């Protein structure tokens, strides 16, 4: 079946540090891939997505590239801010729209 | 605010009671999904509607759970004879009728069963 594995957290960084959150997946075919973010006290929001191999999704300084050969979709940001503190979820989608999520990675950014 | 609303936002109930949650999706979205999220985990799929038809149910959805979307607009999720293990955040999401589209999530209903 489909599954998503994210790097263990939590991740704690200083402001302006480089961020990488690893995500790998197992799926039949080539699903679309997503990163969702959950800020404290808020609902899940789409951060970025990629729909086919070698696509790069980007938003708010975050980027992730769909790597078919390594079945990965790692999230990166060059310089994190305190306001990026949140829980980040990697996910894939099936043909009827069911999302399969990773377990989430808590990111805390200190000033 | 994504445009998907859920009610109530919080619910505390005693074991054995029935609870019902409501989700109002974005109006032009045909598809509606329910997920459950427990502490420290990602959301897990429960069920999905296309218009008023319930097309898929997870094995997580025991006989005590029932979901409806009677007119293809809002949806309800009912849990009968609640158990402490039902304590979780229940999330609703909606999307247009294409797997390439974005799924928009509501703020969730947090259930605590005492």
């Amino acid at each position: 079946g489909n599954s998503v594995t994210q790097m263990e957290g939590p991740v704690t960084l200083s402001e302006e540090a480089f961020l990488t959150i690893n995500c790998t997946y197992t799926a039949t075919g080539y699903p679309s891939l997503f990163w969702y973010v959950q800020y404290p006290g808020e609902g899940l929001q789409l951060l970025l997505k990629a729909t086919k191999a070698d696509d790069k999704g980007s938003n708010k300084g975050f980027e992730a590239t769909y790597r078919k050969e390594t079945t990965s979709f790692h999230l990166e940001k060059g310089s994190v801010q305190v306001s990026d503190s949140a829980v980040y979820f990697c996910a894939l989608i099936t043909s009827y729209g069911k999302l399969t999520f990773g377990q989430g990675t808590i990111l805390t950014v200190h000033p | 605010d994504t445009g998907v609303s859920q009610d109530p936002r919080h619910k505390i109930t005693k074991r054995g009671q029935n609870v019902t949650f409501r989700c109002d999706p974005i109006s032009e979205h045909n598809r509606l999904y329910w997920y459950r999220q427990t502490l420290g985990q990602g959301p897990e799929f429960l069920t999905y509607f296309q218009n008023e038809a319930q097309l898929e149910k997870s094995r997580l959805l025991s006989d005590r759970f029932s979901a409806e979307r009677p007119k293809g607009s809002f949806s309800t999720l009912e849990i009968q004879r609640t158990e402490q293990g039902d304590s979780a955040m229940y999330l609703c999401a909606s999307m247009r009728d294409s797997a390439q589209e974005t799924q928009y999530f509501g703020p969730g209903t947090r259930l605590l069963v005492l």
Side-chain angles (χ1 to χ4, degrees):
Chain A
N2 298 333
S3 67
V4 176
T5 302
Q6 289 182 232
M7 66 183 288
E8 293 290 329
V11 175
T12 303
L13 295 172
S14 297
E15 208 165 24
E16 300 183 1
F18 184 84
L19 168 70
T20 300
I21 301 178
N22 290 341
C23 170
T24 58
Y25 67 90
T26 302
T28 53
Y30 303 105
S32 295
L33 302 174
F34 301 81
W35 278 99
Y36 277 84
V37 59
Q38 191 169 36
Y39 297 104
E42 299 184 17
L44 278 168
Q45 301 174 26
L46 178 68
L47 181 60
L48 54 84
K49 69 178 183 182
T51 58
K52 61 183 187 297
D54 300 324
D55 263 4
K56 178 185 283 187
S58 61
N59 186 26
K60 299 182 181 180
F62 291 89
E63 293 182 339
T65 300
Y66 190 140
R67 301 286 188 200
K68 184 178 66 173
E69 62 277 8
T70 55
T71 61
S72 65
F73 193 54
H74 304 321
L75 182 68
E76 296 182 338
K77 186 174 185 182
S79 176
V80 293
Q81 306 299 312
V82 172
S83 57
D84 294 327
S85 298
V87 185
Y88 292 82
F89 295 94
C90 185
L92 60 82
I93 199 165
T94 66
S95 58
Y96 59 83
K98 166 189 166 185
L99 282 165
T100 299
F101 288 88
Q103 73 271 32
T105 301
I106 300 172
L107 171 66
T108 303
V109 181
H110 293 297
Chain B
D1 184 359
T2 63
V4 179
S5 61
Q6 292 186 245
D7 184 69
R9 295 289 304 275
H10 304 274
K11 179 71 177 178
I12 300 174
T13 191
K14 293 182 180 178
R15 190 176 52 185
Q17 298 294 305
N18 298 343
V19 295
T20 300
F21 310 141
R22 177 179 170 124
C23 170
D24 286 89
I26 295 171
S27 59
E28 63 267 28
H29 286 184
N30 296 332
R31 299 189 183 190
L32 186 148
Y33 301 81
W34 286 98
Y35 295 85
R36 182 170 68 187
Q37 185 179 15
T38 53
L39 206 60
Q41 300 297 316
E44 295 174 292
F45 170 80
L46 292 179
T47 190
Y48 136 69
F49 291 84
Q50 179 143 351
N51 299 312
E52 65 275 10
Q54 187 174 17
L55 298 184
E56 182 77 15
K57 291 197 293 186
S58 163
R59 285 172 293 178
L60 292 174
L61 217 63
S62 75
D63 292 345
R64 297 184 296 104
F65 287 71
S66 62
E68 294 182 341
R69 194 182 183 197
K71 297 182 180 179
S73 56
F74 73 92
S75 175
T76 58
L77 177 68
E78 181 183 16
I79 309 174
Q80 296 183 327
R81 305 181 302 282
T82 52
E83 301 173 356
Q84 289 184 324
D86 297 331
S87 296
M89 176 77 88
Y90 291 84
L91 298 170
C92 173
S94 71
M95 66 188 283
R96 294 180 194 272
D97 198 9
S98 165
Q100 300 301 322
E101 293 289 336
T102 297
Q103 215 162 107
Y104 293 88
F105 282 80
T109 295
R110 184 169 295 283
L111 172 67
L112 178 61
V113 182
L114 301 176

